[in-house]
Amino acid sequence: MDVFAYGLLLLTLSKCVVSKSPHIVFIVADDLGWNDVGFRNPAIISPNIDYLAKNGMILNNSYVQPVCTPSRNAFLSGFYPFKSGLQNFVIVPWAPSCAPLNRTFLPQTLKELGYATHMIGKWHLGMCKWECTPTYRGFDTFYGYYNGKEDYFNYTIFNHTDFRDNKEPTRPYDYSTFNFVANKYAYARRADKVITQHNKSQPMFLYLPFQSVHEPIEVPEIYENMYKNLKNEGRRKFSGMVTALDDAIGNVTDSLKRNGMLKDTLIIFTTDNGGSPTYFGNNYPLRGGKTTVYEGGTRATSFVYGSGLQKPNTVFDGRLFVIVLRMIHAVDWMPTIISAAGGGGQVRGIDGLNMWPSISKGVPSSLRSEFIYNLDDSLVPMMGHAAIRMGDYKLIEGFAGVYNGWYSVPENETATEKDDPKEDYYQLYNLRDDPTEHNNLYTKERSMLKKMKERLEEYKKYIVPPVSMKPDPASNPNNYNGYWTPGWC
Ligand SMILES: *[C@@H]1O[C@H](CO)[C@@H](O)[C@H](O)[C@H]1NC(C)=O
Ligand SMILES: *[C@@H]1O[C@H](CO)[C@@H](O)[C@H](O)[C@H]1NC(C)=O
Ligand SMILES: *[C@@H]1O[C@H](CO)[C@@H](O)[C@H](O)[C@H]1NC(C)=O
Ligand SMILES: *[C@@H]1O[C@H](CO)[C@@H](O)[C@H](O)[C@H]1NC(C)=O
Ligand SMILES: *[C@@H]1O[C@H](CO)[C@@H](O)[C@H](O)[C@H]1NC(C)=O
Ligand SMILES: *[C@@H]1O[C@H](CO)[C@@H](O)[C@H](O)[C@H]1NC(C)=O
Ligand SMILES: *[C@@H]1O[C@H](CO)[C@@H](O)[C@H](O)[C@H]1NC(C)=O
């Protein structure tokens, strides 16, 4: 066979593989709580999210990190934050640091599998040099911002603009998510463009980490007005933000449908961490919130929908004695998505496990029965904590985080349970009997405590030094026409 014919054969073979690969839309909501969606809380209007969740598979034991940067690093690299120097907190705009560059990111592997790769939304994995940014880490296109949060209307953080179309500074003309009145929208409009222009003979990967519903608490009035019944203004606006997010998601599925792609698309939805009680997020009845290793900070609202799911309309939950059979952790998304994309079995050398065989077939698996919530070796700002899950048991060592009570839905004016109890240095919970972490068993179950402490110590050997958060004056956007811009580390 001559080289040309061989090349054609390879092309044909690769086409066969490629044609089986689904389009994948990976949606990440920001700071969305356990109880902030309509399918759990009837006070929230989120028909599109509810439809996808109920007709797909709700992942009822899906875990993430307590804050943004570490979760996003886990999603894209398959590594725990404590092995990436990202265990302490988020990357701030003036830090000369980013997620380790020596790791293969999810879109890089998907490109090798023939995917077109696009990103719309929030990066938050560092931006001090171009090599840290999305279009250098596997994305063909990028539309969004590099830092952790910003104003929804003027796209500024600390008075300077952070918004790009690929590498070019730009500024969308309206609310980040969707403006119902003006029928103008930034991210949903871009998603529609990406989907419409996509060459359908190729599989598409769209990473869509929305700005919503992170603070600042801002939303076009029409969304707030949908919640006139709520007395609490912050919660009213926050709920409107969830509905704006939901509309944008509806816009994306509409676009996929219009372009004949929806039936071949796998949609994955997760939050990056729990809701923040300070900013009207809600995780009730789970304990704690964003920044804590309690379930309210780490047990994610998450579901999958669409192509490849053999048992839709189900909930991924359940256990056999102490073995939790349907659990997934943030580090698992990278290998799981690669497998869904046709990239084979387990990715070697990472922390993530391939959960796709279990999720796609809807069958139990004990593969993921242990994980690390976090190993934070700092004193500030998270103040140091370690937590591990083994089967139904969870051990927390040290300060679990500032929100350590149970914050019931703010729309319910009569709800009471809000106490911030003082906790012991060790907290041991059996989450099967006590998913809301009320009963500390550490004095009662000494042998379990010992076993879990020992396991935690083994993991601690792998902690790498945290990345630098030292403010670098060279980051000053005044050096770059007022835009937060890479190129100073
Ligand atoms: C999901 O988890 C919650 C909280 O532990 C529990 O109350 C609920 O029954 C679970 N749902 C299913 C279908 O297992
Ligand atoms: C990659 O970076 C991480 C985090 O800085 C480090 O722990 C690891 O040793 C590096 N790996 C290689 C192969 O250099
Ligand atoms: C933003 O600019 C305003 C007015 O110039 C100033 O008062 C404020 O301190 C600035 N905020 C930050 C975070 O720099
Ligand atoms: C952006 O909007 C916020 C909130 O309305 C405001 O505080 C800030 O000063 C604005 N920044 C600029 C640069 O317009
Ligand atoms: C779409 O991709 C196929 C295969 O790579 C190519 O042959 C075709 O020309 C492309 N179509 C357009 C409109 O670019
Ligand atoms: C986006 O969603 C809004 C609200 O449902 C709707 O009014 C608008 O027509 C949608 N736009 C597109 C392009 O789907
Ligand atoms: C409000 O909270 C109380 C106490 O938790 C509960 O008994 C009541 O059913 C809740 N009401 C609504 C409307 O959710």
Side-chain angles (χ1 to χ4, degrees):
M1 202 189 302
D2 67 27
V3 174
F4 182 65
Y6 184 65
L8 270 183
L9 176 68
L10 277 185
L11 196 68
T12 319
L13 285 177
S14 70
K15 266 199 170 157
C16 291
V17 173
V18 161
S19 67
K20 278 190 213 146
S21 300
H23 305 299
I24 299 174
V25 178
F26 185 18
I27 302 174
V28 177
D30 202 348
D31 292 3
L32 183 72
W34 176 262
N35 202 26
D36 289 331
V37 282
F39 68 82
R40 294 214 172 95
N41 178 355
I44 298 284
I45 305 165
S46 60
N48 295 295
I49 287 173
D50 299 351
Y51 176 87
L52 297 173
K54 285 178 184 160
N55 291 280
M57 182 186 270
I58 295 171
L59 305 177
N60 213 33
N61 282 294
S62 177
Y63 285 87
V64 289
Q65 297 297 135
V67 288
C68 309
T69 298
S71 279
R72 287 154 206 265
N73 176 66
F75 294 154
L76 296 185
S77 74
F79 278 94
Y80 283 124
F82 70 90
K83 293 189 186 175
S84 314
L86 299 171
Q87 61 273 31
N88 290 170
F89 202 50
V90 301
I91 296 177
V92 290
W94 42 82
S97 302
C98 65
L101 293 172
N102 64 3
R103 303 227 161 114
T104 305
F105 266 20
L106 171 62
Q108 291 175 287
T109 306
L110 292 176
K111 274 173 82 74
E112 283 167 20
L113 294 171
Y115 277 74
T117 57
H118 304 279
M119 170 172 172
I120 302 171
K122 160 171 158 176
W123 179 240
H124 213 186
L125 290 172
M127 51 140 288
C128 63
K129 57 182 165 194
W130 288 108
E131 288 77 2
C132 301
T133 63
T135 49
Y136 289 75
R137 304 216 67 177
F139 289 103
D140 296 336
T141 72
F142 168 67
Y143 183 77
Y145 57 110
Y146 290 150
N147 288 297
K149 64 166 191 178
E150 60 186 15
D151 188 88
Y152 283 81
F153 293 99
N154 63 30
Y155 302 91
T156 66
I157 173 172
F158 298 105
N159 281 352
H160 293 292
T161 312
D162 181 3
F163 210 89
R164 301 212 173 227
D165 186 344
N166 293 321
K167 289 171 67 180
E168 292 307 309
T170 184
R171 203 188 261 261
Y173 55 84
D174 212 334
Y175 189 66
S176 125
T177 307
F178 182 76
N179 183 328
F180 196 82
V181 175
N183 209 37
K184 286 178 184 168
Y185 44 99
Y187 295 176
R189 180 168 48 108
R190 174 62 165 230
D192 184 44
K193 187 173 157 196
V194 163
I195 292 164
T196 304
Q197 291 179 354
H198 178 69
N199 182 337
K200 277 58 178 181
S201 66
Q202 202 187 0
M204 178 194 76
F205 175 62
L206 173 58
Y207 176 48
L208 192 50
F210 279 104
Q211 180 175 4
S212 313
V213 292
H214 198 292
E215 52 91 11
I217 300 302
E218 298 175 329
V219 74
E221 222 172 38
I222 186 143
Y223 286 106
E224 183 182 346
N225 290 344
M226 291 176 178
Y227 294 90
K228 285 205 165 110
N229 56 322
L230 303 186
K231 287 190 208 117
N232 181 314
E233 186 194 354
R235 182 64 181 176
R236 200 160 65 226
K237 288 203 162 83
F238 178 94
S239 304
M241 290 166 79
V242 178
T243 303
L245 166 69
D246 186 74
D247 267 354
I249 291 172
N251 288 160
V252 173
T253 50
D254 274 0
S255 178
L256 288 166
K257 207 181 289 171
R258 229 181 315 113
N259 286 282
M261 289 161 68
L262 186 59
K263 64 178 188 326
D264 302 319
T265 301
L266 172 66
I267 297 177
I268 298 163
F269 179 98
T270 181
T271 188
D272 63 340
N273 46 251
S276 164
T278 309
Y279 295 107
F280 312 102
N282 188 259
N283 310 299
Y284 199 78
L286 302 183
R287 184 173 185 179
K290 179 181 178 180
T291 74
T292 76
V293 287
Y294 287 119
E295 298 291 287
T298 55
R299 192 170 171 186
T301 290
S302 180
F303 59 82
V304 287
Y305 170 89
S307 180
L309 297 180
Q310 293 169 28
K311 286 200 189 145
N313 311 101
T314 47
V315 175
F316 200 65
D317 198 342
R319 43 182 44 78
L320 184 65
F321 304 108
V322 296
I323 307 193
V324 187
L325 296 172
R326 291 183 171 99
M327 195 148 79
I328 181 167
H329 185 269
V331 291
D332 299 334
W333 280 121
M334 188 238 197
T336 298
I337 290 172
I338 288 170
S339 178
Q346 179 59 37
V347 179
R348 287 177 195 285
I350 62 171
D351 297 312
L353 299 169
N354 173 12
M355 298 305 295
W356 183 240
S358 170
I359 289 176
S360 60
K361 295 191 185 76
V363 297
S365 159
S366 59
L367 197 57
R368 172 59 71 198
S369 63
E370 174 176 312
F371 65 84
I372 290 292
Y373 284 85
N374 199 21
L375 290 180
D376 173 22
D377 48 350
S378 72
L379 289 178
V380 283
M382 305 249 283
M383 291 170 270
H385 53 218
I388 184 174
R389 176 73 174 265
M390 287 168 72
D392 276 324
Y393 282 85
K394 170 178 184 176
L395 174 67
I396 303 173
E397 184 187 273
F399 180 66
V402 275
Y403 308 111
N404 74 351
W406 296 264
Y407 307 89
S408 43
V409 276
E411 58 262 34
N412 182 350
E413 310 284 337
T414 62
T416 49
E417 198 185 11
K418 269 187 195 163
D419 50 328
D420 291 323
K422 288 269 174 298
E423 280 296 354
D424 294 297
Y425 189 75
Y426 287 108
Q427 298 178 56
L428 179 67
Y429 298 105
N430 178 337
L431 295 178
R432 176 180 43 168
D433 302 337
D434 179 23
T436 56
E437 301 170 286
H438 278 84
N439 307 311
N440 187 355
L441 302 171
Y442 94 105
T443 53
K444 293 194 191 108
E445 304 213 19
R446 301 306 283 190
S447 68
M448 183 56 80
L449 176 68
K450 182 167 178 289
K451 187 173 145 193
M452 292 182 79
K453 272 165 77 172
E454 281 167 6
R455 191 83 182 112
L456 203 51
E457 290 310 312
E458 283 172 38
Y459 278 103
K460 283 184 185 172
K461 290 180 192 146
Y462 298 97
I463 295 183
V464 306
V467 299
S468 169
M469 289 294 167
K470 197 165 169 267
D472 188 335
S475 64
N476 192 337
N478 289 329
N479 299 334
Y480 300 96
N481 293 321
Y483 275 77
W484 290 100
T485 301
W488 42 272
C489 75

